[in-house]
Amino acid sequence: MSTTKTVRAYKYLKRGKPADVLQLDDRHQVPKPGDDELLIKVKAVGLNPVDWKIMNYLPSFIAKHPAIAGCDYSGTVLESSSADFAAGDEVFGIVHSTLKVSKGLGSLAEEIVAPTPSCAKRPEHVEAVPAAGLPLVGLTAIVLSREVEWALKKKEDAPKVLVSGGSSSVGLQLVPVLKHKGCFVAATCSAAKADMVKGRGADVTFDCEIFNDVGSFRFACHR
């Protein structure tokens, strides 16, 4: 059981730009975890564009205020009501957007309550900091990769897939997922990052300064 009664958390009290509304609350009361929830001591937090977009654009009649910023995290389980997790487990995951909107929950706090369905045990070979940057972009990559499954079922040859922005946070996760599914993967990126993207599994890369639309990609693949 955690003896911490209050923790520090970054909250925003109303809609607005982070520089205007984000502030440190050093007396945040951590809610007691319910069924299928974990109390987690946060080690690292991943910040994404959607975090400031929720903060800046969602009005109070949709999103609860005050709210804790952030959604991605990694940390150590302090309390668990689930048979799948125990105190001391190293985990990473995401505070789902529905919880952020309806309850004002987030990850940018010293301790958080998080649902078990969106949490996983962190592999021993993955450090806490990089793990915190994986959940949202990783889930996005998995969802995007499902768009090619119909092509995999219909074609004997590996479908050709273009990843626009292969060196972006989502692109670096999407490329190996597509390769694992059996796709021929082309990706756009800067020339300086071509080796990095190929190292993630891309079969070919195109300089984004030259090949910047689907038409040029098709031309390059068939020349």
Side-chain angles (χ1 to χ4, degrees):
M1 298 287 290
S2 172
T3 59
T4 303
K5 296 183 181 296
T6 60
V7 299
R8 293 177 296 177
Y10 276 100
K11 295 180 178 180
Y12 50 101
L13 305 181
K14 59 182 180 179
R15 183 180 67 173
K17 296 180 180 179
D20 298 329
V21 300
L22 194 62
Q23 57 184 269
L24 179 63
D25 178 5
D26 59 3
R27 302 289 295 175
H28 170 66
Q29 295 281 343
V30 182
K32 186 174 179 60
D35 294 339
D36 293 322
E37 289 184 335
L38 306 173
L39 177 63
I40 298 170
K41 183 175 180 60
V42 175
K43 288 186 173 180
V45 171
L47 298 178
N48 301 279
V50 70
D51 295 319
W52 70 261
K53 291 177 181 177
I54 290 175
M55 192 183 309
N56 194 39
Y57 294 119
L58 288 187
S60 297
F61 66 85
I62 296 178
K64 180 180 178 180
H65 296 124
I68 300 175
C71 58
D72 288 351
Y73 66 86
S74 64
T76 306
V77 175
L78 297 177
E79 297 180 29
S80 171
S81 61
S82 169
D84 296 326
F85 297 91
D89 284 345
E90 297 296 325
V91 296
F92 69 111
I94 185 171
V95 178
H96 197 274
S97 58
T98 54
L99 292 177
K100 291 183 66 63
V101 172
S102 63
K103 296 184 178 181
L105 298 180
S107 61
L108 202 54
E110 291 178 312
E111 293 183 12
I112 63 171
V113 170
T116 56
S118 58
C119 181
K121 293 181 181 179
R122 175 165 58 85
E124 292 184 0
H125 67 280
V126 179
E127 298 293 333
V129 171
L134 179 62
L136 183 61
V137 295
L139 288 173
T140 302
I142 290 173
V143 171
L144 290 173
S145 71
R146 291 174 180 168
E147 297 297 320
V148 305
E149 291 181 358
W150 64 272
L152 289 168
K153 293 177 181 178
K154 290 184 177 181
K155 298 180 69 173
E156 293 183 2
D157 297 334
K160 295 183 175 69
V161 181
L162 171 65
V163 177
S164 179
S167 61
S168 66
S169 56
V170 173
L172 290 173
Q173 305 304 322
L174 181 57
V175 168
V177 172
L178 291 171
K179 284 301 298 180
H180 180 73
K181 289 179 177 288
C183 298
F184 176 92
V185 180
T188 63
C189 61
S190 66
K193 295 182 178 179
D195 288 342
M196 177 179 68
V197 177
K198 287 180 179 177
R200 296 292 289 171
D203 295 285
V204 62
T205 60
F206 298 119
D207 190 336
C208 59
E209 297 296 327
I210 301 173
F211 299 94
N212 54 13
D213 56 42
V214 175
S216 58
F217 164 69
R218 287 176 175 168
F219 171 78
C221 284
H222 291 89
R223 61 182 177 177

